[in-house]
Amino acid sequence: MANFELSSDEVVLYEGVVSSNQHKGSLLITLTSLKIVLEKEKGLFKKTRELVDIIELATIKFYNDTVQIKQKGSEVEIQTTSGNITFTFSGMFEAGKFKGKIVNATTGTTLAKRVSDKTKGAFKMVDETLGLDTRETIKGVLEQGVKGAIFNGIGKKK
């Protein structure tokens, strides 16, 4: 039985077993849409859970619009306003799964949306720098081929 209450708008995103650089032994980790809950199992025969720590997702740091969560192998390091914490998972796959879920929860977006926004930003920067319409240029090359695009000109920004 868990020792914490979920608010009405909070959902559980991940549950697993980890070890941590801040706490001894094995921990049960629960990632919700608002926080990370760390618990320890106590007792030999009658298992009970003891609340160890709660980390609010709002305390995770950002730098240049990038959430400060790094994965190296089976370890995930999270930079928070109260300090850095490293979780060690059973394997690289589990660590990646957790990292993906926590980044999505912290940023409020999915990986596909973040990649799309980054690509749009790159196109916009190229368009502003070179005075071109990159999308029209690529469309012209795909429709006419490279030879046709060279002879007919590339898409100028309107």
Side-chain angles (χ1 to χ4, degrees):
M1 182 69 199
N3 291 323
F4 62 95
E5 293 286 325
L6 294 177
S7 62
S8 62
D9 62 338
E10 189 174 17
V11 294
V12 174
L13 303 173
Y14 179 88
E15 290 182 312
V17 178
V18 297
S19 60
S20 167
N21 64 340
Q22 290 186 341
H23 306 286
K24 290 184 180 180
S26 183
L27 299 170
L28 300 167
I29 188 169
T30 304
L31 171 66
T32 72
S33 54
L34 300 175
K35 61 190 168 217
I36 300 170
V37 180
L38 300 172
E39 298 173 298
K40 267 194 178 183
E41 251 185 7
K42 295 282 186 178
L44 291 174
F45 300 108
K46 186 178 178 187
K47 302 282 185 186
T48 59
R49 290 184 177 185
E50 176 185 305
L51 185 64
V52 175
D53 197 6
I54 294 179
I55 302 166
E56 299 291 330
L57 295 186
T59 64
I60 296 176
K61 293 181 181 180
F62 280 81
Y63 178 73
N64 285 340
D65 296 328
T66 304
V67 67
Q68 295 303 296
I69 299 171
K70 308 278 188 263
Q71 178 187 354
K72 187 181 275 187
S74 62
E75 292 186 344
V76 175
E77 180 186 16
I78 302 171
Q79 293 183 27
T80 67
T81 54
S82 59
N84 297 353
I85 185 165
T86 302
F87 296 115
T88 305
F89 290 81
S90 60
M92 200 162 62
F93 177 74
E94 277 300 306
K97 194 162 110 178
F98 175 78
K99 181 186 179 241
K101 300 260 186 204
I102 192 170
V103 169
N104 289 351
T106 306
T107 61
T109 61
T110 63
L111 177 62
K113 175 76 172 135
R114 289 192 303 275
V115 169
S116 172
D117 291 344
K118 204 174 249 189
T119 304
K120 286 178 186 174
F123 276 128
K124 184 178 178 185
M125 184 169 48
V126 169
D127 289 349
E128 290 173 357
T129 304
L130 300 177
L132 298 173
D133 188 349
T134 308
R135 288 174 186 83
E136 284 298 316
T137 303
I138 292 171
K139 181 180 171 189
V141 168
L142 292 175
E143 288 175 351
Q144 305 168 19
V146 176
K147 184 178 172 185
I150 291 172
F151 287 125
N152 296 332
I154 56 176
K156 293 285 183 191
K157 200 171 187 180
K158 297 172 183 168

